[in-house]
Amino acid sequence: MSGNKKRLLSGLQPSGELTIGNYCGGINQFLQYQEQYDSFLFVPDMHAITVPQNDPIKVKERIRRFANLYLACGLNPDRCTFFIQSEVPAHNQLAWILECHTYMGELSRMTQFKDKSSKYNNIGCGLFTYPVLMAADIILYDANVVPVGADQKQHVELARDIVKRMNGKYGSSCPGGQLFVEPTPLIAKVGARIKDLQDPLKKMSKSAENPMGSIYLLDDDATIKKKINRAVTDNDGKIWFDEEAKPGISNLITLYAALSKTPIEDVINRFNGMERYGDLKKEVIDVVQSVLQPVRDEYYRLEKSDYVDKVLDRGRDRAKEIASKKYELISSIVGFGR
Ligand code: TYM
């Protein structure tokens, strides 16, 4: 499975239902690279409780739904190590050590913390320190690359800063002077920041209040059609690409390009100057439906079996072996124990 390949790792947190934004920025990116690297994909369930979750049963159901959805989207379980974060205790253990090597100022600068914390009255410490847990997720497996959407770039860069700091402080005790590997974010050229269909100035989000703004991976064809037909555009009446002047139309063009795997310039040329928004919307509906229909079919097939458990058991065992070795090394290097 591994050989001399470099390592790739990514995850999508089960804090809400997966959207077409997560597909374009996260899953699609992962699928594109999964065979090229020694790939790790996991369900970061411990991240999900950084925002309030009122029903633990729903959290559990969602973790399973995410796992089946990854498979339905095309994750290759024979090539990837696929697991659930909370089943590998080293994530938590390493996060503590990294927290003690991360500055409050660094975490205060995280834009996602600023956005999310403005929505709640009582903010848990976990929301503040969550990028450190994410750094532990990446660092434990010596991941070289991390495919994510644009909103996660800052977190991967923080992980990289922590790695440099830890290598500077403890690297001399390790072979090659390097304790950890510096990770690089892999960001899609197109589709790294899909916008909300009802408010195209905001990113499409799993936790959006208005479900009309997000297309969920399990939405049926009629719902997809309704949501795209009602997507907010503008009164200009001409189709051209300008994310500032025409955010709604540009978002639809981006969605089309990302899902049809067509270079954005070709898509822009194709639609440029056309006058009927309905025609553009129809094409976007077609492409979204054609991507999601097989995912849905496969998901409902997998849901009836226990296949995912077999894959996750195997993934957990491999992840645990690698992660616990790494944790033991770092724990002895920082001086823990007898
Ligand atoms: P999460 O769960 O918020 O998002 C999962 C992936 O989807 C991308 N994404 C988007 N891409 C394009 N347009 C959008 N509107 C959009 N919204 C989200 C995200 O950038 C991400 O790639 N902290 C991470 C999960 C995580 C992780 C990790 C990722 C935990 N540990 C280690 C990589 C490596 C998160 O909350 O992503």
Side-chain angles (χ1 to χ4, degrees), residues 9-15 18-27 42 44 47 66 85 112 116 130 133-135 137-138 146-153 155-156 191-195 203-206:
L9 174 134
S10 197
L12 299 95
Q13 61 161 307
S15 49
L18 285 170
T19 71
I20 199 79
N22 298 129
Y23 185 90
C24 294
I27 300 175
F42 71 113
H47 286 260
F66 268 46
Q85 182 190 33
Q112 206 173 63
K116 286 194 180 175
Y130 132 105
L133 179 58
M134 177 163 165
D137 300 337
I138 298 169
V146 183
V148 282
D151 62 332
Q152 294 296 326
K153 183 167 179 255
H155 292 159
V156 182
R193 201 190 293 276
I194 298 295
K195 303 290 174 45
K203 74 163 189 175
M204 187 181 284
S205 160
K206 286 189 222 106

Side-chain angles (χ1 to χ4, degrees), residues 1-70:
M1 198 193 286
S2 50
N4 292 325
K5 284 182 178 175
K6 289 191 165 185
R7 289 242 170 99
L8 172 153
L9 174 134
S10 197
L12 299 95
Q13 61 161 307
S15 49
E17 299 307 324
L18 285 170
T19 71
I20 199 79
N22 298 129
Y23 185 90
C24 294
I27 300 175
N28 214 4
Q29 275 279 92
F30 175 83
L31 295 177
Q32 196 182 326
Y33 294 106
Q34 63 172 338
E35 314 276 330
Q36 204 177 315
Y37 290 89
D38 179 21
S39 295
F40 290 71
L41 189 66
F42 71 113
V43 184
D45 54 346
M46 296 193 309
H47 286 260
I49 59 164
T50 56
V51 291
Q53 299 290 338
N54 299 325
D55 187 347
I57 294 173
K58 290 225 163 84
V59 176
K60 213 176 249 311
E61 284 169 359
R62 208 183 292 128
I63 292 167
R64 199 173 180 81
R65 191 152 53 244
F66 268 46
N68 272 318
L69 268 169
Y70 289 0

Side-chain angles (χ1 to χ4, degrees), residues 219-229 285 289 296:
D219 278 350
D220 59 25
D221 280 352
T223 309
I224 294 169
K225 186 172 176 192
K226 185 166 83 186
K227 288 182 177 178
I228 296 175
N229 275 334
I285 291 167
Q289 288 176 339
R296 247 180 2 243

Side-chain angles (χ1 to χ4, degrees), residues 258-276:
L259 294 176
S260 65
K261 303 207 167 94
T262 313
I264 188 104
E265 295 74 25
D266 294 1
V267 182
I268 293 170
N269 287 338
R270 177 144 166 247
F271 290 112
N272 211 3
M274 275 170 62
E275 290 193 352
R276 295 191 30 196

Side-chain angles (χ1 to χ4, degrees), residues 42-335:
F42 71 113
V43 184
D45 54 346
M46 296 193 309
H47 286 260
I49 59 164
T50 56
V51 291
Q53 299 290 338
N54 299 325
D55 187 347
I57 294 173
K58 290 225 163 84
V59 176
K60 213 176 249 311
E61 284 169 359
R62 208 183 292 128
I63 292 167
R64 199 173 180 81
R65 191 152 53 244
F66 268 46
N68 272 318
L69 268 169
Y70 289 0
L71 290 172
C73 286
L75 173 141
N76 180 346
D78 297 324
R79 291 296 179 92
C80 303
T81 303
F82 179 34
F83 64 98
I84 294 177
Q85 182 190 33
S86 62
E87 295 180 359
V88 183
H91 288 249
N92 242 342
Q93 294 172 301
L94 179 61
W96 174 250
I97 297 180
L98 299 185
E99 268 178 45
C100 297
H101 292 81
T102 306
Y103 304 124
M104 300 278 288
E106 287 177 306
L107 294 179
S108 310
R109 282 195 291 277
M110 294 295 116
T111 53
Q112 206 173 63
F113 173 73
K114 291 186 205 163
D115 289 350
K116 286 194 180 175
S117 57
S118 64
K119 291 188 198 152
Y120 304 104
N121 285 332
N122 289 317
I123 302 146
C125 301
L127 185 65
F128 187 64
T129 57
Y130 132 105
V132 185
L133 179 58
M134 177 163 165
D137 300 337
I138 298 169
I139 291 172
L140 265 180
Y141 301 92
D142 290 326
N144 303 90
V145 292
V146 183
V148 282
D151 62 332
Q152 294 296 326
K153 183 167 179 255
Q154 197 185 27
H155 292 159
V156 182
E157 282 165 353
L158 174 75
R160 196 186 175 87
D161 290 343
I162 298 174
V163 165
K164 285 189 188 149
R165 186 169 309 142
M166 300 290 280
N167 281 344
K169 187 162 178 191
Y170 303 107
S172 57
S173 331
C174 301
Q178 186 181 294
L179 174 60
F180 294 136
V181 169
E182 284 182 28
T184 305
L186 271 184
I187 315 268
K189 283 203 189 75
V190 181
R193 201 190 293 276
I194 298 295
K195 303 290 174 45
D196 186 285
L197 298 177
Q198 289 299 309
D199 180 356
L201 296 176
K202 284 195 326 209
K203 74 163 189 175
M204 187 181 284
S205 160
K206 286 189 222 106
S207 51
E209 272 164 30
N210 181 358
M212 287 299 286
S214 303
I215 294 172
Y216 301 102
L217 297 194
L218 292 174
D219 278 350
D220 59 25
D221 280 352
T223 309
I224 294 169
K225 186 172 176 192
K226 185 166 83 186
K227 288 182 177 178
I228 296 175
N229 275 334
R230 294 202 191 152
V232 168
T233 51
D234 53 55
N235 298 325
D236 166 54
K238 284 228 160 35
I239 299 173
W240 45 284
F241 189 86
D242 183 328
E243 284 179 309
E244 272 178 32
K246 293 177 72 69
I249 290 292
S250 303
N251 190 37
L252 292 175
I253 294 177
T254 304
L255 205 47
Y256 182 90
L259 294 176
S260 65
K261 303 207 167 94
T262 313
I264 188 104
E265 295 74 25
D266 294 1
V267 182
I268 293 170
N269 287 338
R270 177 144 166 247
F271 290 112
N272 211 3
M274 275 170 62
E275 290 193 352
R276 295 191 30 196
Y277 289 177
D279 293 341
L280 168 65
K281 285 184 167 177
K282 185 173 176 315
E283 301 231 16
V284 179
I285 291 167
D286 285 348
V287 74
V288 174
Q289 288 176 339
S290 71
V291 168
L292 292 189
Q293 189 237 323
V295 170
R296 247 180 2 243
D297 291 351
E298 181 63 1
Y299 171 82
Y300 289 120
R301 195 184 69 79
L302 287 167
E303 203 195 18
K304 291 193 205 99
S305 77
D306 60 0
Y307 176 64
V308 73
D309 288 308
K310 296 198 178 81
V311 176
L312 288 170
D313 286 351
R314 190 165 20 116
R316 176 202 56 215
D317 293 347
R318 180 166 190 246
K320 253 186 168 171
E321 198 184 315
I322 297 171
S324 61
K325 253 196 218 135
K326 192 81 193 176
Y327 176 71
E328 274 161 32
L329 172 70
I330 171 75
S331 124
S332 82
I333 283 178
V334 297

